[in-house]
């Protein structure tokens, strides 16, 4: 398993808390928590959406072993998988909001992107670069000779 922030909790408590928070994020699509917890939830929630997009029985069992609730699993494999079918990654965003009064902890909203009632609109996807025509072998050889270092420099480098 990958390295997580410890969040000043024992392992069992930490994993139970992260499982619950990811399940609540999938269910409500936006939650407010501390910045450190939000950064950890982001990693796990993106992995759960990837499993939902995969759609296999193995992926469903892996997701069910982590998130809590049949309604959450159903939402992962239907609504969220359909919403993000064309997106390669980055399904969540973390927006810092305030400093909590009691202990001065920085708070943040974590939410899924491309949904109704977003706090901030998502950026449009970057278009792919235009396709270049392949070079013929003659031109490619001339260009590689043109940008290569002179022979005397290459021989002195190999002697060192």
């Amino acid at each position: 398993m990958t390295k997580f922030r410890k969040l000043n909790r024992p392992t069992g408590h930490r994993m139970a808390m992260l499982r619950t928070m990811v399940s609540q994020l999938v269910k409500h699509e936006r939650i407010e928590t501390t910045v450190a917890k939000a950064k950890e939830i982001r990693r796990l929630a993106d992995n759960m959406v990837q499993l939902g997009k995969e759609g296999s029985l193995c992926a469903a069992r892996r997701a069910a072993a982590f998130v809590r609730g049949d309604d959450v699993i159903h939402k992962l494999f239907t609504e969220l998988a359909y919403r993000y079918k064309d997106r390669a990654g980055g399904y969540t965003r973390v927006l810092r909001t305030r400093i909590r009064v009691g202990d001065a902890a920085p708070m943040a909203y974590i939410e899924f992107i491309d949904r109704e009632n977003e706090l901030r609109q998502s950026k449009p996807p970057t278009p792919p670069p235009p396709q270049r025509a392949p070079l013929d072998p003659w031109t490619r050889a001339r260009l590689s000779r043109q940008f290569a270092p002179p022979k005397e420099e290459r021989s002195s480098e190999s002697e060192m």
Side-chain angles (χ1 to χ4, degrees):
M1 183 170 265
T2 60
K3 181 93 170 107
F4 294 105
R5 288 179 174 87
K6 293 192 186 286
L7 301 173
N8 202 17
R9 287 169 171 79
T11 305
H13 181 193
R14 179 174 61 246
M15 290 310 294
M17 178 190 66
L18 291 174
R19 288 176 61 187
T20 302
M21 292 183 87
V22 169
S23 301
Q24 292 300 311
L25 175 65
V26 172
K27 187 175 183 179
H28 300 290
E29 296 196 9
R30 179 193 309 148
I31 58 174
E32 186 180 23
T33 182
T34 62
V35 173
K37 289 178 193 171
K39 288 180 180 179
E40 286 304 309
I41 294 167
R42 178 178 54 190
R43 295 170 55 191
L44 296 168
D46 285 354
N47 287 341
M48 291 299 116
V49 173
Q50 278 296 117
L51 290 175
K53 284 174 58 175
E54 190 177 322
S56 65
L57 178 62
C58 177
R61 287 180 175 159
R62 287 174 58 197
F66 190 80
V67 296
R68 299 170 190 248
D70 293 336
D71 55 340
V72 174
I73 294 169
H74 183 265
K75 187 170 183 176
L76 271 175
F77 282 81
T78 55
E79 184 181 334
L80 295 179
Y82 179 75
R83 185 188 306 169
Y84 299 121
K85 67 178 187 255
D86 296 328
R87 184 174 281 273
Y91 311 111
T92 56
R93 83 163 58 94
V94 175
L95 297 170
R96 295 172 185 254
T97 56
R98 62 188 174 96
I99 303 295
R100 189 161 54 194
V101 174
D103 59 352
M107 301 295 285
Y109 278 117
I110 179 167
E111 68 175 1
F112 283 110
I113 60 171
D114 296 336
R115 65 179 191 88
E116 298 172 0
N117 302 323
E118 285 184 291
L119 294 177
R120 191 188 78 198
Q121 292 297 318
S122 59
K123 297 176 184 174
T126 56
Q131 294 291 329
R132 298 188 321 180
L135 294 176
D136 61 294
W138 175 258
T139 309
R140 186 181 310 133
R142 286 186 50 215
L143 288 175
S144 65
R145 255 186 274 127
Q146 181 180 3
F147 293 114
K151 282 188 176 181
E152 57 274 358
E153 287 181 20
R154 280 188 268 157
S155 62
S156 63
E157 288 174 359
S158 62
E159 292 172 3
M160 291 182 182

